[in-house]
Amino acid sequence: QEYVRSTLSKFSIQIKEEGTIPGTVINSNKLIDQHYYSIASKATLHHPSSLNVPSDKFMSSFGEEWGKVVEEERCVNALRACERWNVDESTLERLWRESEKSNKVVKFGGGFYCGLLEREGEELYVFNAFFMEMRSKFIGENELYFFSVEWEKGALDWE
């Protein structure tokens, strides 16, 4: 933190505020989900039925109709997968990586992935399951230290 302070000072950047945000606050206010919205929206915030899943690519990748999968409730976001299977983020990450190795993960767009994951004989289509492990580093007992800064326009060269 001292290094950051001295570096900011060297460039005439004023620290207006600094402090710690506890992981419990980050979690309850969904701060990390908002920061990584493109990925998190599919992993924690929205049900897969509300996502714009390209039906043709889903069919060519998985050999199933997207509408049928939704109807049969065989698709979940990463948060619901953890709840449904009663697993933690690390376990979901392991299942996701196993699916990747088996070529059962498809990219539909930027920050928009779907994997066919299997646990104890149950298969589910899970969106952005990798996000949960990343998210876990910011919540719970963890905390984030922040600086809110200000500087004069034109004082820094961004090139």
Side-chain angles (χ1 to χ4, degrees):
Q1 294 167 3
E2 190 52 46
Y3 173 77
V4 172
R5 281 187 206 93
S6 65
T7 302
L8 292 172
S9 177
K10 184 169 72 171
F11 289 100
S12 300
I13 299 172
Q14 298 173 8
I15 299 171
K16 293 298 187 181
E17 185 182 359
E18 64 179 284
T20 302
I21 304 173
T24 53
V25 172
I26 293 169
N27 188 31
S28 64
N29 293 343
K30 298 195 182 301
L31 298 179
I32 198 69
D33 306 75
Q34 292 173 33
H35 181 72
Y36 290 106
Y37 185 79
S38 178
I39 297 168
S41 63
K42 293 141 186 104
T44 63
L45 302 174
H46 299 297
H47 187 276
S49 63
S50 69
L51 302 177
N52 189 19
V53 174
S55 298
D56 56 338
K57 190 165 184 179
F58 190 89
M59 172 58 100
S60 66
S61 301
F62 297 113
E64 292 199 72
E65 293 285 341
W66 171 241
K68 183 177 180 188
V69 169
V70 171
E71 183 180 303
E72 294 176 354
E73 299 180 359
R74 293 186 292 125
C75 55
V76 293
N77 65 27
L79 185 62
R80 299 292 170 256
C82 287
E83 293 170 355
R84 184 160 166 175
W85 282 338
N86 194 31
V87 297
D88 63 12
E89 297 88 352
S90 298
T91 301
L92 191 65
E93 173 79 6
R94 182 181 51 76
L95 295 171
W96 179 262
R97 298 303 171 200
E98 288 171 3
S99 290
E100 281 183 325
K101 289 177 188 171
S102 301
N103 295 315
K104 294 181 181 179
V105 173
V106 176
K107 181 177 183 177
F108 292 134
F112 190 10
Y113 297 83
C114 179
L116 179 58
L117 280 59
E118 188 272 330
R119 182 170 186 277
E120 296 179 355
E122 181 183 25
E123 290 185 327
L124 288 174
Y125 292 97
V126 183
F127 288 85
N128 291 358
F130 62 89
F131 178 71
M132 298 306 291
E133 179 71 12
M134 184 176 90
R135 182 181 188 272
S136 72
K137 293 174 178 27
F138 296 93
I139 62 171
E141 298 300 314
N142 298 313
E143 60 186 27
L144 180 76
Y145 198 86
F146 73 92
F147 292 90
S148 177
V149 299
E150 205 174 82
W151 63 91
E152 292 295 321
K153 183 178 178 181
L156 295 176
D157 182 8
W158 290 99
E159 293 181 16

